[in-house]
């Protein structure tokens, strides 16, 4: 009924052109182009001037990607109105309308893609207001939103072309259940990857230690697996389903990236413990890789079986320096102890020998 009213209104408005349907259609196309140009000029000129006066750049970027779909939408409406004047058969009219609607759906789908990406970029920059949307989780929301947009667009295209959606949804449900059982491990890795990106127990560049005692730097966090580069330059790929259920030690986590190292050393009983403290602190102060804040410290830990057990503790700026600094500290402690005549004892055992009792032999 609305279509008939629209067609009658157009015929009354274009009655001065006579009965030439091609001329009427051409005039409508020309008017649509002119109107689309005017609309595009209003958006790109007037609205852009207003947007530049605002403090945020969101409206500027939105107008830049908005003017093209609006121009095409006005033009497509004009083309649809022109088809009403041509007196096409019902089948040809339906085919032409479906093509115009398909172009409109794809045009606005592209706009929605760009707008969502732009919004997520802005929200991720405002972590204080939108804690759930952060740079590390923006890709998840971006992909999820695009999947939903594509799904909605496909549904709209099916309706546009008169395809029975109910049958396809039923078949898709059955196929989805079968694929879910067949790819349960892959799906487990996928969901674990999403949780890892959202929860962020570690990030790219962090040094982590796995349950299997492998230690390395995280080089990539994917939806299926996490890649770690060990100190031997060997890349280890761990499925996200495994790493999500494991105990992970993040050496780069906490309030800072600094890491604490410990050098355990024992000295002989009878040593001057104040002198030992002074020597160990001197070794720490002379090492340029140990941070001054927090300052290094020495602790007398225990009375061992053969030694007095001390521990030198200091902070390094990055976990990657651990091996090199421990090597330098161990070497310097040994050299200083030799220079200061501080003895590092070997394990000792006292063995007492008793003569045999002749009476026990009988």
């Amino acid at each position: 009924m609305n279509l008939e009213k629209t067609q009658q209104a157009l015929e009354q408005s274009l009655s001065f052109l006579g009965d030439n349907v091609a001329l009427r259609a051409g005039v409508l196309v020309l008017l649509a182009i002119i109107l689309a140009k005017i609309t595009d000029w209003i958006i790109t000129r007037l609205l852009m001037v207003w947007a530049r006066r605002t403090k945020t750049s969101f409206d500027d970027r939105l107008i830049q990607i908005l003017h093209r779909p609006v121009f095409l939408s006005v033009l497509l409406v004009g083309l649809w109105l022109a088809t009403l004047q041509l007196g096409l058969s019902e089948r040809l009219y339906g085919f032409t309308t479906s093509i115009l609607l398909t172009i409109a759906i794809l045009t606005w789908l592209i706009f929605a893609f760009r707008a969502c990406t732009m919004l997520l970029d802005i929200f991720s920059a405002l972590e204080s207001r939108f804690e759930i949307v952060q740079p590390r989780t923006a890709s998840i929301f971006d992909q999820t939103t695009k999947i939903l947009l594509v799904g909605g667009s496909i549904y709209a295209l099916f309706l546009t072309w008169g395809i029975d959606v109910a049958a396809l949804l039923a078949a898709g449900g059955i196929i989805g259940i079968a694929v879910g059982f067949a790819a349960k491990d892959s799906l487990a890795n996928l969901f674990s990857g999403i949780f890892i990106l959202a929860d962020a127990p570690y990030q790219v560049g962090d040094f982590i230690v796995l349950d299997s005692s492998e230690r390395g730097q995280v080089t990539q966090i994917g939806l299926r697996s996490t890649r770690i580069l060990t100190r031997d330059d060997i890349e280890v790929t761990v499925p996200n389903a495994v790493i999500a259920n494991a105990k992970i030690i993040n050496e780069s986590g906490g309030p800072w990236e600094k890491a604490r190292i410990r050098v355990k050393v024992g000295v002989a009983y009878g040593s001057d413990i104040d002198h030992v403290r002074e020597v160990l602190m001197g070794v720490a102060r002379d090492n340029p890789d140990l941070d001054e804040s927090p300052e290094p410290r020495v602790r007398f830990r225990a009375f061992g079986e053969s030694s007095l057990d001390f521990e030198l503790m200091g902070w390094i700026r990055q976990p990657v320096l651990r091996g090199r600094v421990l090597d330098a500290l161990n070497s310097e402690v040994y050299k200083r102890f030799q220079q200061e005549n501080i003895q590092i004892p070997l394990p000792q055992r006292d063995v007492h020998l008793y003569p045999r009792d002749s009476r026990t032999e009988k």
Side-chain angles (χ1 to χ4, degrees):
M1 187 63 182
N2 293 333
L3 181 60
E4 294 178 358
K5 289 183 177 180
T6 302
Q7 192 169 3
Q8 290 175 1
L10 286 174
E11 290 178 355
Q12 292 176 1
S13 302
L14 301 175
S15 59
F16 67 94
L17 296 175
D19 297 332
N20 191 335
V21 295
L23 180 60
R24 291 184 178 185
V27 170
L28 286 174
V29 172
L30 180 60
L31 291 175
I33 294 175
I34 295 174
L35 184 59
K37 287 288 187 180
I38 294 174
T39 306
D40 185 65
W41 181 84
I42 292 174
I43 293 176
T44 56
R45 301 294 181 182
L46 299 182
L47 291 182
M48 185 61 74
V49 172
W50 169 80
R52 288 172 180 170
R53 296 177 181 176
T54 60
K55 296 180 180 180
T56 177
S57 63
F58 169 73
D59 44 11
D60 301 73
R61 297 168 61 184
L62 182 63
I63 292 173
Q64 289 177 357
I65 64 175
L66 180 62
H67 75 94
R68 181 170 296 178
V70 171
F71 173 84
L72 288 176
S73 297
V74 175
L75 182 60
L76 290 174
V77 171
L79 293 176
W80 173 70
L81 294 175
T83 58
L84 294 177
Q85 300 299 311
L86 296 177
L88 302 176
S89 62
E90 183 177 353
R91 183 176 182 180
L92 184 58
Y93 170 78
F95 178 75
T96 304
T97 304
S98 297
I99 290 178
L100 296 177
L101 287 175
T102 300
I103 296 174
I105 291 172
L106 294 178
T107 299
W108 284 102
L109 176 63
I110 295 173
F111 165 77
F113 272 19
R114 295 176 177 175
C116 288
T117 302
M118 183 178 64
L119 285 172
L120 288 173
D121 290 341
I122 294 175
F123 289 160
S124 62
L126 302 174
E127 297 183 24
S128 58
R129 298 183 59 185
F130 302 95
E131 295 182 359
I132 192 172
V133 182
Q134 299 182 11
R136 63 174 179 270
T137 60
S139 60
I140 300 176
F141 288 100
D142 185 56
Q143 295 175 12
T144 304
T145 305
K146 288 180 178 178
I147 290 173
L148 294 176
L149 288 173
V150 170
S153 300
I154 293 175
Y155 179 77
L157 289 174
F158 283 164
L159 295 179
T160 299
W161 290 94
I163 300 175
D164 187 6
V165 182
L168 291 176
L169 289 177
I174 296 174
I175 295 174
I177 294 174
V179 172
F181 279 109
K184 60 179 181 179
D185 292 337
S186 298
L187 291 176
N189 290 327
L190 174 63
F191 285 111
S192 298
I194 294 175
F195 294 145
I196 288 173
L197 289 173
D199 190 46
Y202 52 82
Q203 301 179 23
V204 174
D206 288 354
F207 280 84
I208 63 175
V209 182
L210 304 179
D211 281 348
S212 55
S213 300
E214 291 164 315
R215 174 179 177 268
Q217 185 179 28
V218 179
T219 58
Q220 182 179 350
I221 304 175
L223 291 179
R224 193 195 68 83
S225 62
T226 296
R227 297 183 180 182
I228 303 170
L229 187 66
T230 67
R231 296 300 297 155
D232 296 328
D233 288 336
I234 297 175
E235 187 176 70
V236 180
T237 302
V238 186
N240 286 330
V242 175
I243 205 168
N245 296 318
K247 179 181 177 181
I248 304 298
I249 299 175
N250 188 351
E251 295 184 347
S252 301
W256 49 39
E257 194 181 5
K258 298 177 183 179
R260 197 179 214 181
I261 59 174
R262 303 169 184 268
V263 177
K264 296 181 179 180
V265 61
V267 299
Y269 276 91
S271 301
D272 186 347
I273 59 174
D274 293 329
H275 186 208
V276 173
R277 289 178 185 273
E278 183 181 351
V279 172
L280 291 176
M281 286 298 298
V283 171
R285 295 191 190 97
D286 294 341
N287 191 295
D289 292 320
L290 286 183
D291 205 348
E292 296 180 357
S293 178
E295 63 180 7
R297 61 188 64 180
V298 176
R299 291 290 182 265
F300 181 11
R301 291 301 187 190
F303 294 94
E305 294 183 357
S306 304
S307 63
L308 303 176
D309 297 334
F310 284 82
E311 189 173 49
L312 170 62
M313 297 173 290
W315 293 86
I316 53 178
R317 298 174 183 85
Q318 294 179 333
V320 69
L321 301 174
R322 180 183 300 275
R324 188 179 71 189
V325 176
L326 281 176
D327 173 74
L329 290 176
N330 285 329
S331 301
E332 190 62 25
V333 166
Y334 184 75
K335 293 177 181 178
R336 293 283 184 92
F337 277 14
Q338 282 189 324
Q339 294 174 1
E340 301 294 332
N341 294 322
I342 299 175
Q343 184 180 0
I344 301 177
L346 297 175
Q348 299 179 6
R349 293 289 184 273
D350 291 335
V351 180
H352 300 275
L353 300 177
Y354 296 95
R356 289 185 178 181
D357 190 348
S358 59
R359 290 176 297 177
T360 59
E361 294 180 357
K362 298 180 180 180

